């Protein structure tokens, strides 16, 4: 079986304890030589400075290629592009460009009067500025705000036409879900790389709530399996086995890159990577 290339998503820490956890996560996963790691941007732009600090620190102390997430929410075009410039100054060459979700409690996305109205507008502006490798979000199951699957595929095509280089998908539970989406994208003329997003399940209840919010369906057989595993105290074993099986199915179906949503907890992701043949290659450089 082909050994995939991997990338890891982190979120920016909000306090000292969380900073230590993020740094531990980076130290555990860096030796797997990820193609890149990415740091999210809080809903409503709430972690703007934290994201910049986290990407700068990871880039400086680990030597890893870091992608910063950036959304259009609650900022003018000028402010959003200034944040991108800040990222560039911090050594960031890659951006995950998103429309974003509004802060908790607000109804749907509403563009700022002087802001980017959509992810496509943000991608166009970043591509024009030419400083970044641009990745974007993609939705193998219908995005909650989109009318149907085909609308998501056509919108993804618009993102690539606007200058995106690669797409990272929302997480899903069955490889078939990704293959159906990949086929629909190919049919729509998309030839660019679409990387499956993988969520190792640290906590099934949390994952189920997260899935509900982002429109990911949870198959009954997965819910039943976790219910039994929790009763038997074997949650982690099941989580590792299911995630490894999903990744194996994807690789056997031709996928060569996987993007893991680590939630700043490295163990499951590391164990799955090891099972896939992604083993330590380098030691961390310049650890502070
Ligand atoms: P888009 O893909 O632009 O829009 C979602 C769907 O809505 C489209 O597929 C399309 O069907 C429809 N749509 C939207 N606008 C239009 C339009 N103008 N015309 C026609 N159709 C339209 N959120 C954060 O806040 N911070 C993060 O760091 C973050 N990271 C993410 C990383 C990944 C890999 C993914 C997949 C999602 C991430 N999200 C993040 C969540 C994301 O912000 C939400 O899913 C948001 O609702 C959509 O953002 P998007 O850029 O993917 O939207």
């Amino acid at each position: 079986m082909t050994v995939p290339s991997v990338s890891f998503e982190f979120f920016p820490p909000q306090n000292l304890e969380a900073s230590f956890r993020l740094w531990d996560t980076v130290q555990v996963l860096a030796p797997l030589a990820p193609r890149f790691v990415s740091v999210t941007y809080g809903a409503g732009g709430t972690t703007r400075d934290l994201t910049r600090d986290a990407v700068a620190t990871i880039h400086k102390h680990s030597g890893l290629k870091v992608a910063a997430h950036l959304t259009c929410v609650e900022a003018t075009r000028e402010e959003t592009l200034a944040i991108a410039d800040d990222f560039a100054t911090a050594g960031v060459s890659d951006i995950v460009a998103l429309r974003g979700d509004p802060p908790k409690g607000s109804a749907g996305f509403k563009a700022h009067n002087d802001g980017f109205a959509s992810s496509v507008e943000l991608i166009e502006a970043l591509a024009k500025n030419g400083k970044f490798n641009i990745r974007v979000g993609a939705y193998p199951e219908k995005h909650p705000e989109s009318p149907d699957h085909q609308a998501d595929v056509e919108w993804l095509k618009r993102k690539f036409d606007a200058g995106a280089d690669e797409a990272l998908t929302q997480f899903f539970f069955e490889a078939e879900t990704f293959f159906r989406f990949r086929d629909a994208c190919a049919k729509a003329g998309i030839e660019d790389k679409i990387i499956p997003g993988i969520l190792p399940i640290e906590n099934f209840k949390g994952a189920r709530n997260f899935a509900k919010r982002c429109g990911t369906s949870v198959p009954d057989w997965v819910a039943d399996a976790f219910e039994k595993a929790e009763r038997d105290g074997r949650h982690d074993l099941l989580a590792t086995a299911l995630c490894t099986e999903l990744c194996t199915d994807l690789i056997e179906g031709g996928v060569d890159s996987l993007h893991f949503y680590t939630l700043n907890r490295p163990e499951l992701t590391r164990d799955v990577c090891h099972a896939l043949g992604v083993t330590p290659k380098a030691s961390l450089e310049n650890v502070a």
Side-chain angles (χ1 to χ4, degrees):
M1 192 176 74
T2 312
V3 176
S5 72
V6 293
S7 52
F8 304 123
E9 181 184 290
F10 308 131
F11 61 83
Q14 309 249 15
N15 56 44
L16 191 62
E17 195 192 334
S19 298
F20 285 125
R21 173 145 20 108
L22 172 58
W23 190 243
D24 284 348
T25 304
V26 172
Q27 285 189 290
V28 170
L29 296 177
L32 301 179
R35 210 171 140 237
F36 67 93
V37 298
S38 78
V39 180
T40 61
Y41 195 80
T46 44
T47 64
R48 197 168 296 170
D49 295 341
L50 296 173
T51 299
R52 190 205 43 231
D53 294 348
V55 291
T57 306
I58 295 172
H59 175 72
K60 186 166 167 215
H61 295 293
S62 74
L64 294 173
K65 178 180 265 205
V66 188
H69 293 213
L70 179 63
T71 75
C72 315
V73 178
E74 303 221 318
T76 64
R77 287 169 179 251
E78 212 176 302
E79 286 164 348
T80 306
L81 294 177
I83 296 161
D85 275 345
D86 247 19
F87 289 154
T89 308
V92 167
S93 55
D94 294 42
I95 282 194
V96 180
L98 301 145
R99 185 202 68 182
D101 282 324
K104 259 192 195 142
S106 329
F109 173 80
K110 191 170 173 297
H112 186 289
N113 282 346
D114 299 316
F116 293 109
S118 71
S119 57
V120 167
E121 287 191 4
L122 172 62
I123 294 157
E124 272 165 1
L126 291 173
K128 203 162 140 201
N129 135 340
K131 287 185 190 154
F132 300 104
N133 185 29
I134 304 168
R135 296 193 179 81
V136 295
Y139 299 90
E141 296 183 78
K142 199 182 79 56
H143 183 277
E145 290 167 51
S146 107
D148 54 42
H149 293 284
Q150 192 53 27
D152 284 330
V153 172
E154 283 161 18
W155 189 244
L156 181 60
K157 173 113 178 39
R158 296 267 309 269
K159 295 188 194 185
F160 282 121
D161 292 345
D165 297 292
E166 292 181 353
L168 305 170
T169 78
Q170 189 55 276
F171 75 100
F172 52 86
F173 286 95
E174 291 175 315
E176 260 318 302
T177 308
F178 176 80
F179 294 141
R180 270 196 301 273
F181 180 65
R182 188 179 62 179
D183 289 349
C185 290
K187 208 167 155 201
I190 296 174
E191 291 173 357
D192 309 81
K193 195 173 176 90
I194 303 174
I195 303 175
I198 307 293
L199 179 72
I201 306 204
E202 282 288 341
N203 168 325
F204 181 64
K205 271 196 194 113
R208 190 158 51 186
N209 289 339
F210 188 27
K212 203 169 168 191
R213 284 202 304 278
C214 47
T216 295
S217 51
V218 183
D220 288 343
W221 67 267
V222 172
D224 290 347
F226 273 103
E227 198 180 306
K228 284 192 193 107
E230 265 159 24
R231 265 200 318 260
D232 299 344
R234 291 170 178 256
H235 181 290
D236 285 1
L237 201 60
L238 177 71
T240 310
L242 280 190
C243 190
T244 304
E245 192 177 308
L246 172 61
C247 294
T248 304
D249 289 349
L250 289 166
I251 294 164
E252 284 174 351
V255 165
D256 64 5
S257 300
L258 299 165
H259 183 67
F260 288 88
Y261 295 111
T262 71
L263 306 181
N264 295 4
R265 295 194 176 272
E267 292 80 9
L268 263 179
T269 297
R270 176 204 55 202
D271 292 351
V272 171
C273 284
H274 285 182
L276 298 172
V278 180
T279 48
K281 291 184 188 66
S283 58
L284 206 58
E285 292 167 4
N286 305 325
V287 179

